[in-house]
Amino acid sequence: AQTVTQSQPEMSVQEAETVTLSCTYDTSESDYYLFWYKQPPSRQMILVIRQEAYKQQNATENRFSVNFQKAAKSFSLKISDSQLGDAAMYFCAYSSDSNYQLIWGAGTKLIIKP
Amino acid sequence: NAGVTQTPKFHILKIGQSMTLQCTQDMNHNYMYWYRQDPGMGLKLIYYSVGAGITDKGEVPNGYNVSRSTTEDFPLRLELAAPSQTSVYFCASSYLGSRNEQFFGPGTRLTVL
């Protein structure tokens, strides 16, 4: 069965600095999709970034980028120029076409220090 | 577009009572999902639906039931509520399955006492 592990329960970063959140996953499939979702205190779950496993190029969305290492089964999220509004829980998630589920990590709480 | 809406936002239920959590989406998505999120945890899939009239169990279906009579609506029914069902419940929808972005409702915080 697929699993997703986020080993950092909490991270903190100074405003305007860069922070990297870690995610590893376990799967025997070769084609799959990886996601980072953000959950601010409002509880609303918002997609940050998405990566397709067959694409070698790392996905980027403005200040958010990923480091996708397929062989190592690693999918880290880098947030550049951190802003106060980035404070939230960040969840890594996995899915594939062989099942309809998103498999979720336990989350990392990101604290932004002003 | 309202996106995905859920009602109620909060509810306290007594042990043994039943209730229905409502979920509606206006994006014409064929896939819909119900998750629960326990404190300090990620989301766990309860049930999902790939279209009107078609539903299937997720990882934690016991104690719940769903129906999907229309594309827009996907209610979650809790029968004989137990304290273990205290959680935050999220409904989500997506176009063409979990390979694509899932759009989430604001969640329902349910407490069973």
Side-chain angles (χ1 to χ4, degrees):
Chain A
Q2 297 91 357
T3 58
V4 176
T5 302
Q6 293 179 251
S7 58
Q8 306 153 318
E10 186 174 297
M11 292 282 285
S12 63
V13 64
Q14 208 71 37
E15 194 177 1
E17 298 290 305
T18 295
V19 64
T20 298
L21 308 184
S22 301
C23 173
T24 58
Y25 57 94
D26 188 27
T27 184
S28 58
E29 296 175 309
S30 59
D31 201 13
Y32 48 87
Y33 312 90
L34 296 164
F35 306 81
W36 279 99
Y37 278 87
K38 169 185 177 181
Q39 187 179 39
S42 66
R43 224 168 53 193
Q44 182 70 50
M45 197 72 78
I46 304 162
L47 178 68
V48 175
I49 203 163
R50 174 180 176 271
Q51 175 81 40
E52 294 167 323
Y54 71 87
K55 289 186 177 178
Q56 292 189 337
Q57 187 173 6
N58 288 327
T60 62
E61 287 288 343
N62 301 314
R63 297 182 295 106
F64 298 87
S65 61
V66 298
N67 183 7
F68 174 48
Q69 301 288 330
K70 191 171 185 180
K73 296 180 182 175
S74 170
F75 183 60
S76 60
L77 175 70
K78 186 172 86 170
I79 306 174
S80 304
D81 185 26
S82 298
Q83 300 176 358
L84 294 177
D86 295 334
M89 286 290 292
Y90 286 81
F91 292 93
C92 179
Y94 166 103
S95 76
S96 69
D97 287 338
S98 66
N99 65 63
Y100 297 108
Q101 294 200 39
L102 267 177
I103 309 297
W104 297 78
T108 296
K109 182 178 181 180
L110 180 63
I111 298 168
I112 311 294
K113 298 177 182 176
Chain B
N1 267 2
V4 180
T5 57
Q6 291 181 239
T7 55
K9 285 189 167 47
F10 304 93
H11 195 79
I12 299 174
L13 203 56
K14 292 184 178 178
I15 294 171
Q17 287 185 329
S18 301
M19 78 167 296
T20 299
L21 307 186
Q22 301 291 344
C23 175
T24 300
Q25 53 94 6
D26 63 359
M27 296 173 282
N28 202 33
H29 286 165
N30 45 353
Y31 287 72
M32 294 188 75
Y33 313 83
W34 272 107
Y35 294 94
R36 60 176 287 171
Q37 184 180 27
D38 298 326
M41 306 287 285
L43 281 68
K44 292 190 183 297
L45 184 67
I46 304 171
Y47 270 95
Y48 66 95
S49 169
V50 302
I54 306 170
T55 63
D56 206 349
K57 296 177 181 179
E59 185 181 357
V60 290
N62 291 346
Y64 307 95
N65 275 301
V66 293
S67 59
R68 184 104 181 264
S69 57
T70 67
T71 299
E72 295 78 20
D73 301 307
F74 190 41
L76 177 71
R77 178 85 177 160
L78 281 75
E79 305 281 1
L80 298 173
S84 61
Q85 293 178 302
T86 294
S87 190
V88 178
Y89 291 85
F90 288 96
C91 179
S93 71
S94 70
Y95 179 64
L96 289 182
S98 60
R99 62 163 61 188
N100 291 324
E101 176 182 2
Q102 292 190 14
F103 293 82
F104 285 80
T108 295
R109 182 178 294 277
L110 179 69
T111 302
V112 182
L113 299 174

